[in-house]
Amino acid sequence: MDEYTSTVRVWELSCPRLPAEVGRARRWTRDILHDSPCADDAALIVTELGANAVTHTTGPAFRVTITRAAEAVTLTVTDTGATTTHPRITHPDEEATHGRGLAIVTVLAAALDIHHDGHGHTVTAHLPASAPQPTTRETQPC
């Protein structure tokens, strides 16, 4: 019977494209991952990706999907809007007030995938389920 039991769990939240919904998605992420060492990083990633979906697209909604397995947590944010731009990492000057979100996500995530088509954008961040070995972020989990 074990072959029919999955250790992967998936949650999905659909949000209207409103700024207040980014906070709801962040709280939802923390609730789901409350016992994970990467909960704070995951919440920050969802905040950044959700804010991008609200700010840079015209669609009516965005969707957050959390996939949790023993070895990894995957966070996916999909928007449903059209735009002339695509998610990309930029290097704004010191005075810029925008443009650092995806760069922050790449520091926190083990891997980042960006896909876009005529129906919107999907950005997926992969996090290890356990705290990584100490690196430049020695005092912080995940």
Side-chain angles (χ1 to χ4, degrees), residues 13-22 24 50 53-54 59-63 80:
L13 177 67
S14 293
C15 301
R17 193 181 65 86
L18 300 170
E21 293 297 308
V22 174
R24 182 167 74 107
V54 168
F62 68 96
R63 182 178 65 244
T80 58

Side-chain angles (χ1 to χ4, degrees), residues 39-64:
D40 289 338
D41 287 351
L44 179 55
I45 289 169
V46 166
T47 300
E48 290 296 338
L49 299 181
N52 284 351
V54 168
T55 304
H56 299 295
T57 66
T58 61
F62 68 96
R63 182 178 65 244
V64 180

